[in-house]
Amino acid sequence: MREPVDLGVFVAVRNEAGAYLVVKHNYGDRKWSLPGGGVDQGEIINLTALRELGEETGFEGKIGNIIGIFSLRKKRGVVVLIECKIVGGCRKSHNNNTEISASEWRRPNDFIKDEIYPGQLNLLFQAEKFHCDRETIYGHLTPDLIVTV
């Protein structure tokens, strides 16, 4: 019997200046990431994206297109990257949040080495590519194995 596959979703929210909303984890390596997380049993992926956006940033969103679907290389899992627009709410103060310590608007090239998880940086670059090409991206979550169908 095979192990179940983990399913995660991340949200790409791009502002008019071309920066993306990112959050800094307050656990583990304490690096930057797109808002997102695991899909709960029976939860619809779009609702996971909106829930995670709200929990981690305070913003309410409207789902756009699926940017890409990526398999993970280090464990059994799939990540869905979804574009989203902010339609309400306001950015949370992260003073007492145990999961997220900060949120900011950043461009993919603004990050210095080891400041963001490598897979997350790749997701940001894929969001940039999708913004220009508007083609859904499929592949592994590594830069050299992305395949556009």
Side-chain angles (χ1 to χ4, degrees):
M1 181 174 189
R2 292 183 183 225
E3 294 179 33
V5 173
D6 290 331
L7 178 59
V9 63
F10 290 98
V11 181
V13 180
R14 189 174 192 268
N15 67 16
E16 292 177 5
Y20 290 87
L21 182 62
V22 292
V23 296
K24 188 169 188 181
H25 289 156
N26 202 21
Y27 59 86
D29 292 334
R30 300 178 188 261
K31 294 185 179 188
W32 290 95
S33 170
L34 289 165
V39 178
D40 292 337
Q41 178 67 36
E43 189 174 32
I44 296 170
I45 293 172
N46 288 3
L47 297 180
T48 302
L50 296 176
R51 175 178 56 78
E52 290 288 346
L53 178 66
E55 288 175 2
E56 295 184 0
T57 69
F59 290 117
E60 297 170 8
K62 179 180 177 186
I63 295 297
N65 294 306
I66 293 177
I67 294 171
I69 302 171
F70 307 95
S71 61
L72 303 177
R73 299 293 302 225
K74 293 185 179 180
K75 64 180 187 174
R76 290 180 59 90
V78 174
V79 172
V80 179
L81 179 60
I82 299 176
E83 70 178 347
C84 190
K85 293 185 190 243
I86 293 175
V87 296
C90 60
R91 190 165 11 172
K92 274 185 177 182
S93 165
H94 297 286
N95 297 339
N96 297 320
N97 192 318
T98 57
E99 183 180 1
I100 303 299
S101 63
S103 62
E104 293 180 3
W105 294 95
R106 306 269 295 267
R107 293 173 181 267
N109 289 324
D110 291 345
F111 290 98
I112 58 173
K113 186 178 180 184
D114 296 330
E115 186 179 29
I116 185 171
Y117 298 102
Q120 290 291 320
L121 184 58
N122 189 35
L123 287 177
L124 282 169
F125 282 119
Q126 299 310 316
E128 282 283 280
K129 181 179 181 343
F130 180 83
H131 181 73
C132 295
D133 298 344
R134 306 303 291 179
E135 292 184 36
T136 303
I137 303 155
Y138 304 90
H140 295 295
L141 193 51
T142 55
D144 57 335
L145 295 174
I146 298 300
V147 178
T148 301
V149 177

